Amino acid sequence: MTIFLLMVYAVIILVAIIVIGFWTWRLTIRQRRVERFEGRLSQRYMRIVVAIMLSDENLPTRFPMIDRHNAKDTLAKVLATVAQSVYGLDVEAIGRIVADNHLDRWLLRQVQRSSGFDRAYYMSILAVLPLSAEVVERAAKYADDSNRLVRFYALLVRISGDSSSALKALAEYGDSLTCFELAEIMALLRRGVLPVACEPLLASTNRNWQLVGVSIAKEFGVEEVIPQLLEIAATSRDRGVAKNAFYALIAMHASLTHPKIANSIRRFPASERRSLGRSLAYEGYSASVISYLLGERERVYAERLVATYKCRIVCVPQL
């Protein structure tokens, strides 16, 4: 009897393994078909979008198979890719495509139905597309979402929808901007959404304004604000702002041999000082400057680092 039960049990397990394996195979095949279809549809949509943008005529903006499953998601991703790449070009055609296919409202519905990172994903697409004032207003409520990514992309939607209130939106943003968020904001700036003047931002006491001002100076190499950056790096009580100012100064090859600068750097933890040393070596600062700012140990480390890349650091005194 025991042997019989074991045989029945083994047969049941074998059948279960076969059924599970069969359905796994079916799901894998189906997923591959969906991915191939979406890939072909994405290429087709990309050709249509490029043709519309390059044409001098008002071509129809209706897309084939737009009512099929995942077609609007595919079109939204294509438009987001194009919008992020066409710096300085008129995005009126993209706005027409979004409006005619009701993509903004469709994306907003996906935002409402999802949560967490899925919601952040749809908000990130909304943030780079031309939107109607109604959609921007309805998306504003997600500025208080529990997920930080959602809150940040709600900020970007607000900025891209109404550039005149960009500085107010940054001031009201409750979180301190990270380096990745600053990079996203710089991408908006390159597309002409934000004002470029950074002097008022650097003079502000608002942390996010200062971070954006430092990023603008670094991104566009605004040498006129180097004295302000030196002052921030030397005297700012906010270590994050001071560190970003140092990186901006290093990227612009500014002179860093003032005693206040060296004293300020000594406040940083060892890991951050080493990171600054790597940036100094990468930007071609001399070993004497690195030694003056970071100490002899970091100078030796920087020389070894440069040597590993088959370069030679020039030990010319710059003090």
Side-chain angles (χ1 to χ4, degrees):
M1 186 66 180
T2 304
I3 296 175
F4 175 75
L5 290 175
L6 288 174
M7 290 177 63
V8 170
Y9 180 67
V11 169
I12 292 173
I13 291 176
L14 181 61
V15 170
I17 291 173
I18 292 173
V19 171
I20 292 172
F22 173 75
W23 281 107
T24 302
W25 174 77
R26 285 286 303 272
L27 290 173
T28 303
I29 295 298
R30 183 176 181 276
Q31 182 64 27
R32 288 178 180 175
R33 287 176 179 171
V34 170
E35 289 176 356
R36 285 198 297 268
F37 169 76
E38 289 182 356
R40 291 194 297 268
L41 193 63
S42 177
Q43 294 176 359
R44 189 173 180 182
Y45 283 176
M46 180 64 78
R47 288 194 293 268
I48 295 174
V49 170
V50 172
I52 291 173
M53 294 193 68
L54 295 179
S55 175
D56 295 330
E57 304 174 2
N58 287 331
L59 296 179
T61 56
R62 189 67 182 172
F63 286 75
M65 296 183 285
I66 194 63
D67 295 323
R68 292 192 60 171
H69 179 66
N70 282 347
K72 286 193 174 181
D73 186 48
T74 301
L75 178 58
K77 287 189 284 190
V78 167
L79 290 176
T81 302
V82 174
Q84 289 174 312
S85 306
V86 290
Y87 300 145
L89 295 182
D90 187 6
V91 292
E92 182 183 349
I94 296 179
R96 248 185 333 117
I97 295 171
V98 169
D100 291 351
N101 293 277
H102 309 291
L103 273 183
D104 48 358
R105 289 176 173 77
W106 180 84
L107 285 167
L108 195 58
R109 284 198 300 273
Q110 304 311 306
V111 170
Q112 293 168 346
R113 294 170 182 171
S114 57
S115 62
F117 289 104
D118 288 338
R119 176 173 288 175
Y121 162 73
Y122 289 112
M123 288 292 290
S124 68
I125 296 179
L126 276 173
V128 297
L129 296 179
L131 304 174
S132 64
E134 177 192 352
V135 172
V136 172
E137 184 178 352
R138 289 171 61 187
K141 65 180 181 180
Y142 297 103
D144 299 322
D145 195 89
S146 60
N147 186 293
R148 173 170 181 146
L149 273 177
V150 175
R151 294 197 301 271
F152 173 68
Y153 284 118
L155 169 70
L156 292 192
V157 169
R158 179 180 173 185
I159 291 174
S160 60
D162 182 12
S163 58
S164 62
S165 66
L167 297 182
K168 181 181 177 183
L170 286 170
E172 293 174 353
Y173 184 58
D175 300 305
S176 181
L177 294 171
T178 66
C179 57
F180 303 105
E181 291 168 348
L182 287 168
E184 291 269 16
I185 291 173
M186 290 303 102
L188 278 181
L189 190 146
R190 287 194 295 272
R191 294 199 296 275
V193 174
L194 284 173
V196 180
C198 59
E199 292 90 341
L201 301 178
L202 293 174
S204 170
T205 56
N206 182 279
R207 188 178 195 272
N208 284 338
W209 279 15
Q210 280 193 319
L211 288 171
V212 171
V214 170
S215 298
I216 291 173
K218 180 182 177 183
E219 184 78 18
F220 296 97
V222 186
E223 296 183 355
E224 291 80 6
V225 299
I226 285 179
Q228 282 180 276
L229 291 175
L230 287 169
E231 183 67 21
I232 291 172
T235 63
S236 178
R237 295 181 179 180
D238 190 318
R239 201 175 71 205
V241 175
K243 183 177 67 173
N244 278 24
F246 274 121
Y247 282 118
L249 289 166
I250 292 169
M252 290 190 281
H253 302 94
S255 175
L256 301 175
T257 54
H258 195 281
K260 287 184 178 180
I261 298 295
N263 292 335
S264 179
I265 289 180
R266 293 190 186 102
R267 295 180 301 155
F268 293 168
S271 60
E272 292 184 4
R273 290 200 304 271
R274 177 149 291 193
S275 178
L276 284 170
R278 286 195 294 267
S279 295
L280 288 165
Y282 178 80
E283 295 294 343
Y285 280 82
S286 70
S288 59
V289 171
I290 296 175
S291 176
Y292 174 73
L293 293 174
L294 303 170
E296 186 64 18
R297 184 177 178 181
E298 295 302 323
R299 180 192 68 79
V300 174
Y301 170 75
E303 286 184 338
R304 289 176 180 171
L305 179 68
V306 173
T308 60
Y309 288 95
K310 312 301 182 191
C311 297
R312 183 166 58 89
I313 196 163
V314 181
C315 300
V316 179
Q318 295 189 2
L319 301 177

